[in-house]
Amino acid sequence: MAKRVAVIGAGVSGLSSIKCCLDEHLEPICFERSNDIGGLWKFTETSKDGMTRVYKSLVTNVCKEMSCYSDFPFQEDYPNFMNHEKFWNYLQEFAEHFDLLKYIQFKTTVCSITKRPDFSETGQWDVVTETEGRQDRAVFDAVMVCTGHFLNPRLPLESFPGIHKFKGQILHSQEYKIPAGFQDKRVLVIGLGNTGGDIAVELSRTAAQVLLSTRTGTWVINRSSDGGYPLNMMVTRRHHNFIAQVLPSCILKWIQERHLNKRFDHANYGLNITKGKKPKKIVNDELPTCILCGTVTIKTSVKEFTETSAVFEDGTVEENIDVVIFTTGYTYSFPFFEEPLKTLCTKKIFLYKLVFPSNLEKTTLAMIGFISLTGSILAGTELQARWATRIFKGLCKIPPSQKLMAEAMKKEQLIERGLMKDPGADKIDYISYMDDLASFIGVKPNIPLLFIKDPRLAWEVFFGPCTPYQYRLMGPGKWDGARNAILTQWDRTLKPLKTRTIPGSFKPASMSHYLKAWGAPILLASLLLIYKSSIFLKLVPEKLQDRLSP
């Protein structure tokens, strides 16, 4: 009899979890509290239902080839970066192609998830749900929580003295949908993440003035690279990752900062990172231009509010503020769990590989999608789901809970003493995390073997963009179309751009030309580097650091 798995949420990670259950011959039942799939990607005019939705102008930050399900590429005519409607259409196509909709119970809220009395033996859960006022209880062999990051808006009003005296409008970015209603107003946006940058730019076209307050500053990057190709595809590559591991961090930081300042000097624009603060990046193509034109003004953090104005840390005052928009993020929330599980799951350090709670004697609960990566979240959550379902089947194992809890508590103590950085506070390197999970499943690409068996494919895997298809080349869940998807990924990238054909236009030398000329020596060098990488990675940083330390 197939194991029954409860999947909580039918968004990006919920859909992949349903499919992964089916791939492993498990029986999924998905509970979705809204009336449709897509989670936050299903746009609505209001957020009265309490669910976080995208604002109407949102455009994806990761291009289509880097942020697709690993065995279901986007259609070639889809734009590389797309609005919410196009992306939601892709999710619908995915759900219909793999016949996932019949496993979803819509308008169903999960009230509680509790361990059965015999959990230590069976690992089973009692799940109570409510549909249109009627409650149901069912027993499940495993649970996959796919409710996402964006549940509870973080609105830190207590950190802003005088905010309760302020007579203007106050809202969180969760409530923002369209720029209508902000015409000719002076708007203060607090928080400079991706959302803060997007809202500030959009309102700069209609508001009288937009003020953008940031405590830390940020690096601003474009969606396109210097050559006009999607930036994600140019930088998220295995050979770049290899070089980053070899180079000392001080040299790598200098190279990155020099490149980021090449487009515009962040210090001149008031965007440079505050000394002692963690560096971060946002994707925004228009913010520098808005600052240059004066429609967006960068400010330091707010010290206090008066009835109509904001006083900043640098002593400046901005009068006649009409609206304050907090783009201060969200907090995790799992109201359906009991303590101590409810609190423990909010601490990433107690989630093994950011998926499995460390305190459970049976690995039958997986937290899918509670990650922050330097690359695609969609691709990351899919690989998490593939790993989790194989653990449910008993095909993969993780260390015992006693060992995991001891390690987590030791790390927590080190963090509290300031002897260790909190690993959950920063974004995790995309390729390193993906390869880590892939090695557990047995689907990590064997690049030395690929260079011997299929040099053309190996070239694209190691030197080309690290697209999700790479994790379907071998091992469990192998997809026969993965090789072709990798070799044609640039065709799908360029297809939506080729809307005007120019007869007799100059065609630059193809990659195959350079491959023929330089392929043999580079392949040989790559093989040697990869085979010796374990020794190389240990010795080189130490030697370089010794030389640089004086």
Side-chain angles (χ1 to χ4, degrees):
M1 183 178 177
K3 289 185 176 181
R4 283 163 48 90
V5 180
V7 178
I8 318 301
V12 166
S13 54
L15 293 176
S16 59
S17 294
I18 298 170
K19 180 183 176 294
C20 290
C21 284
L22 297 174
D23 290 343
E24 295 297 340
H25 307 290
L26 302 172
E27 183 183 330
I29 299 178
C30 178
F31 302 109
E32 169 56 47
R33 62 174 173 164
S34 71
N35 61 357
D36 212 336
I37 65 167
L40 65 89
W41 289 99
K42 182 63 177 178
F43 174 76
T44 57
E45 294 290 345
T46 64
S47 53
K48 291 181 180 178
D49 57 2
M51 294 183 66
T52 302
R53 311 282 191 176
V54 294
Y55 38 95
K56 193 168 186 178
S57 62
L58 185 136
V59 175
T60 56
N61 287 338
V62 183
C63 67
K64 65 178 181 180
E65 290 301 308
M66 301 297 292
S67 189
C68 64
Y69 293 111
S70 57
D71 54 357
F72 193 72
F74 278 88
Q75 295 179 35
E76 63 176 10
D77 60 343
Y78 270 47
N80 287 284
F81 297 95
M82 60 199 75
N83 59 30
H84 64 85
E85 187 176 1
K86 281 276 187 183
F87 189 82
W88 185 87
N89 288 341
Y90 170 74
L91 297 179
Q92 183 73 21
E93 291 166 5
F94 175 77
E96 291 175 353
H97 180 80
F98 293 105
D99 199 18
L100 307 180
L101 297 176
K102 65 183 180 182
Y103 299 97
I104 305 173
Q105 295 183 14
F106 293 106
K107 296 183 179 179
T108 301
T109 302
V110 175
C111 303
S112 67
I113 301 173
T114 54
K115 293 190 285 188
R116 299 269 293 166
D118 57 354
F119 179 84
S120 58
E121 297 176 7
T122 64
Q124 291 182 326
W125 300 85
D126 276 324
V127 179
V128 177
T129 58
E130 183 175 312
T131 308
E132 297 179 349
R134 187 188 76 254
Q135 284 198 349
D136 290 306
R137 181 185 297 269
V139 177
F140 288 91
D141 299 294
V143 176
M144 303 176 81
V145 178
C146 309
T147 50
H149 285 86
F150 306 101
L151 284 176
N152 294 332
R154 180 176 173 272
L155 197 60
L157 299 181
E158 68 282 354
S159 301
F160 296 89
I163 188 67
H164 297 294
K165 300 177 186 176
F166 181 66
K167 293 184 176 180
Q169 183 183 2
I170 300 172
L171 66 152
H172 189 273
S173 55
Q174 185 196 45
E175 303 169 68
Y176 179 82
K177 297 297 178 182
I178 55 176
F182 296 91
Q183 290 90 343
D184 302 323
K185 292 186 177 181
R186 287 174 54 80
V187 181
L188 171 60
V189 178
I190 296 179
L192 181 48
N194 284 310
T195 301
D198 284 351
I199 292 176
V201 166
E202 183 168 49
L203 290 181
S204 71
R205 303 185 186 105
T206 56
Q209 181 63 48
V210 175
L211 308 167
L212 182 52
S213 169
T214 174
R215 290 185 300 111
T216 61
T218 186
W219 296 110
V220 181
I221 59 176
N222 273 10
R223 289 179 173 84
S224 62
S225 66
D226 292 340
Y229 299 105
L231 183 66
N232 314 121
M233 297 183 74
M234 302 304 291
V235 300
T236 311
R237 301 185 173 207
R238 290 185 177 276
H239 75 282
H240 287 166
N241 204 55
F242 177 79
I243 293 170
Q245 293 179 52
V246 172
L247 284 177
S249 58
C250 57
I251 293 179
L252 188 64
K253 180 184 177 183
W254 177 80
I255 293 172
Q256 291 174 341
E257 290 184 2
R258 187 170 180 272
H259 180 75
L260 288 166
N261 275 324
K262 191 175 180 180
R263 181 184 166 217
F264 69 95
D265 190 325
H266 285 64
N268 290 340
Y269 284 66
L271 294 169
N272 53 314
I273 304 294
T274 305
K275 189 175 181 179
K277 299 294 184 180
K278 291 180 296 185
K280 66 175 184 177
K281 298 176 184 175
I282 68 168
V283 178
N284 199 300
D285 302 305
E286 301 177 64
L287 181 59
T289 302
C290 291
I291 298 171
L292 198 62
C293 296
T295 54
V296 173
T297 301
I298 301 297
K299 303 292 294 184
T300 60
S301 54
V302 176
K303 182 179 180 180
E304 63 177 332
F305 283 94
T306 68
E307 291 184 352
T308 59
S309 62
V311 181
F312 296 88
E313 292 289 351
D314 59 3
T316 58
V317 179
E318 292 288 345
E319 304 282 356
N320 302 318
I321 304 295
D322 298 301
V323 184
V324 177
I325 302 177
F326 284 88
T327 60
T328 43
Y330 297 80
T331 57
Y332 296 135
S333 173
F334 308 104
F336 37 73
F337 284 147
E338 292 181 315
E339 294 292 1
L341 188 60
K342 181 190 291 188
T343 300
L344 185 136
C345 286
T346 63
K347 300 178 180 179
K348 290 184 178 181
I349 199 169
F350 285 96
L351 294 178
Y352 180 63
K353 301 300 179 183
L354 301 176
V355 178
F356 291 100
S358 302
N359 67 330
L360 297 178
E361 56 269 43
K362 293 290 184 179
T363 51
T364 56
L365 172 63
M367 313 298 289
I368 307 297
F370 298 94
I371 48 175
S372 184
L373 300 177
T374 57
S376 167
I377 301 297
L378 182 150
T381 60
E382 183 192 26
L383 206 55
Q384 286 182 330
R386 290 174 66 186
W387 181 42
T389 50
R390 289 188 66 77
I391 286 178
F392 296 159
K393 282 286 293 286
L395 301 173
C396 294
K397 302 289 184 183
I398 69 171
S401 62
Q402 297 90 338
K403 182 180 179 180
L404 296 179
M405 279 298 292
E407 291 176 352
M409 292 180 72
K410 184 179 179 180
K411 289 179 181 177
E412 187 178 44
Q413 291 174 358
L414 292 173
I415 292 169
E416 289 175 352
R417 295 175 187 171
L419 302 175
M420 176 182 173
K421 286 185 177 181
D422 185 354
D426 298 324
K427 286 191 174 184
I428 303 169
D429 180 73
Y430 173 76
I431 294 179
S432 299
Y433 183 73
M434 295 288 281
D435 279 357
D436 199 19
L437 296 189
S439 63
F440 296 147
I441 307 169
V443 298
K444 181 182 175 182
N446 188 332
I447 296 173
L449 184 62
L450 275 179
F451 270 117
I452 295 168
K453 294 177 63 177
D454 194 340
R456 183 188 175 198
L457 177 62
W459 178 279
E460 288 294 336
V461 169
F462 189 69
F463 292 103
C466 185
T467 45
Y469 321 123
Q470 293 191 9
Y471 300 100
R472 291 284 183 179
L473 287 169
M474 54 190 67
K478 178 182 177 182
W479 175 44
D480 292 338
R483 182 183 187 274
N484 184 62
I486 292 170
L487 297 180
T488 58
Q489 57 198 8
W490 285 108
D491 296 334
R492 289 188 299 279
T493 300
L494 296 176
K495 173 68 176 178
L497 306 178
K498 301 289 186 178
T499 55
R500 174 174 173 256
T501 304
I502 306 172
S505 60
F506 173 72
K507 185 177 181 181
S510 64
M511 177 60 75
S512 61
H513 170 81
Y514 295 110
L515 182 59
K516 290 174 184 176
W518 296 95
I522 292 178
L523 286 177
L524 180 61
S526 301
L527 282 172
L528 291 172
L529 279 173
I530 294 164
Y531 275 122
K532 295 180 179 180
S533 62
S534 59
I535 302 172
F536 195 54
L537 289 174
K538 292 178 182 177
L539 295 178
V540 173
E542 295 175 2
K543 290 183 178 180
L544 285 174
Q545 198 65 44
D546 289 340
R547 291 182 182 181
L548 291 171
S549 57

